[in-house]
Amino acid sequence: MVRKVRTRETRQRRLVLETLRATKTHPTAEWIFEHVRERMPSISLGTVYRNLNVLRDEGLVRELRVNGRTAHWDADLSPHAHFVCATCGVIRDVEGVPPLDWRGLKDLVGCEVHHQRIDFHGECPSCLRQQEPSN
Amino acid sequence: MVRKVRTRETRQRRLVLETLRATKTHPTAEWIFEHVRERMPSISLGTVYRNLNVLRDEGLVRELRVNGRTAHWDADLSPHAHFVCATCGVIRDVEGVPPLDWRGLKDLVGCEVHHQRIDFHGECPSCLRQQEPSN
DNA sequence: TTGGTTGCAAATTCTTTGCAGCTCT
DNA sequence: AGAGCTGCAAAGAATTTGCAACCAA
């Protein structure tokens, strides 16, 4: 988890980070790959995966595991919650959820908390509409 | 996501649910497979996966995606938070975290929330001890 | 009876990795 | 110069699926 080696700033790594920072869609590695490729056609998917892992270990991006087996990525490090649609899988930021107090965890059970994650699971408006078109 | 067909109660399905209900370790499909197999040696891993998906769709169990690519499963449907160790991956229940109010999500952005998930990520006591034995 | 379910094995999907050559620092 | 990084392709891990036989309702 902790990276001991000094990392370099390559064009590939910079583009991966820039691309992720430029979106709020919590994309997959594949999506990032396709978008970086528009600016650097020679980049490979493996490099995108490797760089996402490096950036995650450096604390610059966050890996989201929500539903399904595909990881999603987020460069927004500010405390915020997510809404996940069970049907279409879309992930939306939810502002205004107050951070929880976790000091008790250290005192009670000895766990050291680095960050928290709050997800709401349900149905997004457009999926709701499609499910009950007559109601 | 919504299952339209009538499901049956097979011995395999009952054993999967019983096994998951009998533990608080948030196990993987593989773990459940190994434990069900002690009581029913003929069961296959594919059947465990299929049954977990059926039970999830019926709302009887919950699929947890926390870290890594492996799904974990939980038959405890009561509202509770989790602590996830970034090093060893252990998942512990955290009691006493008050459920968040999500009514605003429906009013503000039209999302219908079915349930919420609260995870604390950090280091568990035993991993903390191993990381800093001298400090 | 019959349609959901099973075991088996192959297929899929997502992610990681070995390697030889390249490039930041 | 050299340690980290890349593209490529193959490997790996987790999960799903097609099929014929089976069995719960």
Side-chain angles (χ1 to χ4, degrees):
Chain A
M1 222 82 237
V2 181
R3 211 156 266 266
K4 344 116 221 300
V5 299
R6 174 166 33 245
T7 62
R8 266 174 213 177
E9 188 182 10
T10 60
R11 188 152 122 73
Q12 287 86 341
R13 185 159 303 158
R14 201 176 329 111
L15 282 171
V16 167
L17 185 53
E18 277 177 15
T19 303
L20 185 54
R21 281 185 171 155
T23 183
K24 286 178 167 292
T25 61
H26 316 87
T28 63
E30 185 74 38
W31 187 98
I32 296 168
F33 170 59
E34 296 296 348
H35 283 254
V36 170
R37 197 140 72 139
E38 290 172 7
R39 292 210 267 160
M40 187 186 193
S42 65
I43 198 172
S44 74
L45 181 55
T47 294
V48 172
Y49 274 108
R50 267 185 297 229
N51 277 310
L52 287 169
N53 286 340
V54 170
L55 294 167
R56 186 235 295 117
D57 292 352
E58 290 179 333
L60 293 175
V61 307
R62 209 151 271 172
E63 184 178 3
L64 302 178
R65 299 277 179 169
V66 279
N67 273 326
R69 32 185 168 178
T70 315
H72 292 254
W73 298 86
D74 194 350
D76 180 359
L77 302 176
S78 71
H80 62 284
H82 291 126
F83 171 83
V84 183
C85 178
T87 300
C88 69
V90 73
I91 307 173
R92 294 164 70 141
D93 286 337
V94 177
E95 314 290 349
V97 177
L100 296 164
D101 180 12
W102 63 53
R103 282 167 298 177
L105 272 175
K106 182 70 176 180
D107 300 342
L108 261 65
V109 286
C111 295
E112 186 166 296
V113 174
H114 294 152
H115 73 275
Q116 66 184 231
R117 189 163 302 165
I118 299 176
D119 296 345
F120 297 100
H121 289 242
E123 299 289 326
C124 75
S126 79
C127 286
L128 277 176
R129 249 176 269 123
Q130 290 182 358
Q131 279 166 28
E132 318 184 34
S134 51
N135 296 17
Chain B
M1 222 83 240
V2 180
R3 212 156 264 267
K4 344 112 221 299
V5 299
R6 178 172 23 248
T7 62
R8 261 171 217 182
E9 188 181 11
T10 60
R11 190 152 120 72
Q12 288 87 340
R13 184 160 303 159
R14 200 176 329 112
L15 283 171
V16 167
L17 184 53
E18 277 178 14
T19 303
L20 184 54
R21 281 185 171 155
T23 183
K24 285 177 166 292
T25 61
H26 316 87
T28 63
E30 184 75 38
W31 187 97
I32 296 168
F33 170 59
E34 295 298 346
H35 282 253
V36 171
R37 196 141 72 139
E38 290 172 7
R39 291 210 267 161
M40 188 185 192
S42 65
I43 197 172
S44 74
L45 181 55
T47 294
V48 172
Y49 274 108
R50 266 185 297 229
N51 277 310
L52 286 170
N53 287 339
V54 170
L55 293 167
R56 187 236 294 119
D57 292 350
E58 290 180 333
L60 293 174
V61 306
R62 209 151 270 172
E63 184 177 4
L64 303 178
R65 299 278 179 169
V66 278
N67 272 326
R69 30 187 167 176
T70 315
H72 292 255
W73 298 86
D74 195 351
D76 180 359
L77 301 176
S78 71
H80 63 283
H82 291 126
F83 172 83
V84 183
C85 178
T87 300
C88 70
V90 72
I91 307 173
R92 295 164 69 142
D93 287 339
V94 176
E95 314 290 349
V97 177
L100 296 165
D101 179 14
W102 63 52
R103 281 167 298 178
L105 274 175
K106 182 70 178 178
D107 299 341
L108 261 65
V109 286
C111 295
E112 186 166 297
V113 174
H114 295 151
H115 73 275
Q116 67 184 231
R117 188 164 301 166
I118 298 175
D119 295 347
F120 298 100
H121 290 243
E123 299 291 325
C124 75
S126 78
C127 286
L128 277 176
R129 249 176 269 123
Q130 289 183 0
Q131 279 167 27
E132 319 184 32
S134 52
N135 296 18

